[in-house]
Amino acid sequence: MQSIATAPYELTRLSPSDMISTARAFADRMAARRSVRDFSSAPVPLEVIDQAVRAASTAPSGANLQPWRFVVMTDRDRKRQLRYAAEAEEREFYARRASPDWLDAVAPMGTDWQKPFLETAPVVIVVFEVHQGPSSPKPYYAKESVGIAVGLLIAALHHAGLATLTHTPVPMRFLNEVCDRPPEERAFAVMPVGYPAEDATVPDLVRKSLSEVLVRR
């Protein structure tokens, strides 16, 4: 098997103080991020979406197979179709499939089967895992790889001044039809993107402190 070509790696080396200030500024900016469910319908620059997807696609992946697909939806009719299909699945989920523990956990958030943000937000990104198919090889660690890419996507969009929500309807196979994707692609997450509505509110959540999540050994 032929080895992959290599190239010199250049990383800008900062002073310790600059490293700390840069890391702190990024953490502070991300600390202001919240999941938004009330979106303005105002359009957003699509170049921002393109560049955020570009950033997401730099994520590490198993064997560098990059098993992701980002479907950017802006068509009003298609977004409406997505909303109705998602609400049908969510209505069934909340009524019959969701466990009591799950319903209790999300009750304080006020979430239910209604998903108007899928139609209101100017952009909806549906992220797919790409599995083995006619023109795609078998991936390795697909879910982990795509999860990392979605994390970068969220960070890139927030850094650019846009709000997001990570929506994961159950099940998600209907998204292949809505997005015209082949069966070897499996939906991972649905992300409405845009500006918050003027009257948007978010839960006043308290995140765990650094001491609660960081362990040194």
Side-chain angles (χ1 to χ4, degrees):
M1 181 179 294
Q2 186 175 4
S3 298
I4 190 170
T6 61
Y9 179 54
E10 297 181 3
L11 180 68
T12 302
R13 187 160 183 170
L14 304 176
S15 68
S17 61
D18 285 344
M19 291 171 69
I20 293 169
S21 62
T22 299
R24 180 177 289 116
F26 181 75
D28 287 344
R29 183 156 189 154
M30 293 309 299
R33 188 206 63 79
R34 291 293 186 275
S35 294
V36 170
R37 289 176 170 80
D38 299 312
F39 286 88
S40 165
S41 61
V44 301
L46 291 183
E47 177 67 16
V48 174
I49 306 299
D50 292 353
Q51 294 304 317
V53 170
R54 178 173 169 238
S57 66
T58 68
S61 62
N64 192 41
L65 292 175
Q66 305 167 55
W68 41 63
R69 190 83 69 234
F70 302 88
V71 178
V72 176
M73 302 176 64
T74 57
D75 180 78
R76 182 176 301 177
D77 291 338
R78 195 176 289 267
K79 287 190 299 171
R80 182 176 296 117
Q81 181 185 358
L82 169 61
R83 175 190 176 180
Y84 291 164
E87 288 184 335
E89 294 290 354
E90 291 289 273
R91 190 183 299 112
E92 178 70 15
F93 175 76
Y94 275 87
R96 294 181 175 82
R97 296 197 298 264
S99 69
D101 288 345
W102 167 255
L103 294 175
D104 288 344
V106 299
M109 307 285 187
T111 61
D112 57 24
W113 62 267
Q114 299 179 83
K115 310 298 175 186
F117 47 76
L118 295 175
E119 188 175 354
T120 305
V123 176
V124 177
I125 303 174
V126 185
V127 187
F128 288 83
E129 303 169 18
V130 181
H131 290 262
Q132 189 168 19
S135 59
S136 55
K138 175 185 176 181
Y140 299 93
Y141 303 103
K143 194 167 294 295
E144 293 86 347
S145 301
V146 175
I148 297 169
V150 167
L152 287 177
L153 180 61
I154 292 170
L157 291 167
H158 176 73
H159 196 68
L162 293 175
T164 62
L165 173 69
T166 306
H167 174 50
T168 52
V170 179
M172 292 199 277
R173 267 300 177 189
F174 72 92
L175 290 164
N176 288 71
E177 180 179 353
V178 174
C179 298
D180 294 329
R181 302 312 305 163
E184 64 268 20
E185 297 187 12
R186 303 176 191 172
F188 181 89
V190 179
M191 291 178 54
V193 181
Y195 303 111
E198 290 188 7
D199 58 350
T201 61
V202 295
D204 189 12
L205 302 177
V206 177
R207 293 192 170 106
K208 292 181 179 180
S209 67
L210 185 60
S211 63
E212 292 177 282
V213 301
L214 173 63
V215 178
R216 298 187 188 276
R217 289 291 183 264

